[in-house]
Amino acid sequence: MDISQGISMASMLFALWMGVVSFISPCILPLIPSYVSYITGISYDDLVDAAARKKNIKLSLLHSLVFVAGFTVIFVLLGATVSLLGQFLIEYLKAIRIAGGVLMIVLGLFVADIVPLPFLQQDAKIHLKTRPAGFLGTFLVGIVFAAGWTPCTGPFLSSVLMQAAQAETMATGMVLLAFYSVGIGVPFILSAAAISTFLAFFNRLKRHYKAVKITSGAILIIMGLLLVFDKWTLLTSYLMNL
């Protein structure tokens, strides 16, 4: 199946950035040390202790990779489902494009703290009190992460799903959600490997959360406007010819 049609570097980079922004969102980033401790079974003190961290780095990396694989499977399947649904509704593609653009604009205004959307601010996370042992347990936690934290990542995930719904092939939608997963997954793996560096980064980033939210909201609004006025394809074609 040729995925080169219906997908562009701009779309993939957009999906990747939405994943990164999901990772650094206020309801995920502060809990990364807890997640790493939970999936590895390593105490927080051992995670931040230099000597213990060196001893446990292989375990942390392996569990992080399996955790990322768990939520990636769910996101990619979600992308395939949305793309397949979009192909069935091909005759309504224009309406889907406009509705998706409007939704992105509204989500952008929400992310930038301009328009409140209470239903997206509810805490609907799923928590596991106990984790099944081994890597299978870590994989299952990744699946639960994808399902339970959707309200938190909703604005960013929805924007990528809107792109997937307009994809020409199911594979294209899957690729877009794979890039979204990479945007979350790579920072998570790096954080698990260097938790002390992550904590220092987190403390610095907290001072710039407002700028991050405004920038991300602006990107969503611009993306939405391009979709509403059917200029996204024109933009991506221009970028590919640079």
Side-chain angles (χ1 to χ4, degrees), residues 144-223:
V144 171
F145 173 90
W149 286 75
T150 300
C152 181
T153 61
F156 313 112
L157 177 60
S158 297
S159 64
V160 182
L161 290 175
M162 287 297 104
Q163 286 284 294
Q166 300 172 69
E168 295 181 8
T169 67
M170 184 173 67
T172 298
M174 294 172 71
V175 169
L176 287 175
L177 269 297
F179 269 83
Y180 174 79
S181 299
V182 169
I184 301 178
V186 170
F188 184 90
I189 294 168
L190 294 176
S191 300
I195 197 71
S196 296
T197 302
F198 163 79
L199 291 172
F201 165 77
F202 173 60
N203 289 330
R204 290 195 300 271
L205 183 64
K206 283 193 298 185
R207 299 193 294 267
H208 305 289
Y209 257 139
K210 185 66 176 179
V212 171
K213 295 180 72 174
I214 292 174
T215 301
S216 302
I219 292 174
L220 283 170
I221 292 170
I222 292 170
M223 180 71 177

Side-chain angles (χ1 to χ4, degrees), residues 39-42 55-64 135:
I39 65 175
T40 60
I42 302 171
K55 183 178 67 174
N56 295 315
I57 188 169
K58 182 178 179 180
L59 182 65
S60 298
L61 283 173
L62 288 174
H63 275 284
S64 298
F135 292 108

Side-chain angles (χ1 to χ4, degrees), residues 2-73:
D2 182 10
I3 62 172
S4 62
Q5 296 181 349
I7 192 169
S8 67
M9 182 61 69
S11 296
M12 291 185 288
L13 289 176
F14 175 76
L16 184 69
W17 174 246
M18 289 296 101
V20 172
V21 175
S22 295
F23 175 81
I24 63 177
S25 61
C27 55
I28 291 182
L29 191 67
L31 295 180
I32 294 301
S34 298
Y35 260 93
V36 175
S37 177
Y38 182 70
I39 65 175
T40 60
I42 302 171
S43 70
Y44 178 81
D45 290 339
D46 285 341
L47 282 176
V48 298
D49 179 75
R53 188 170 65 252
K54 289 180 180 180
K55 183 178 67 174
N56 295 315
I57 188 169
K58 182 178 179 180
L59 182 65
S60 298
L61 283 173
L62 288 174
H63 275 284
S64 298
L65 286 168
V66 175
F67 174 77
V68 170
F71 69 69
T72 297
V73 167

Side-chain angles (χ1 to χ4, degrees), residues 85-129:
L85 181 61
Q87 291 174 46
F88 279 119
L89 300 174
I90 191 69
E91 59 183 301
Y92 304 107
L93 192 58
K94 181 178 179 180
I96 293 173
R97 172 177 55 78
I98 294 174
V102 171
L103 177 61
M104 281 194 197
I105 292 170
V106 173
L107 291 175
L109 293 171
F110 166 72
V111 169
D113 286 335
I114 297 174
V115 174
L117 296 176
F119 67 93
L120 286 178
Q121 296 172 314
Q122 295 176 357
D123 187 349
K125 298 184 288 292
I126 297 175
H127 299 281
L128 294 177
K129 293 184 178 179

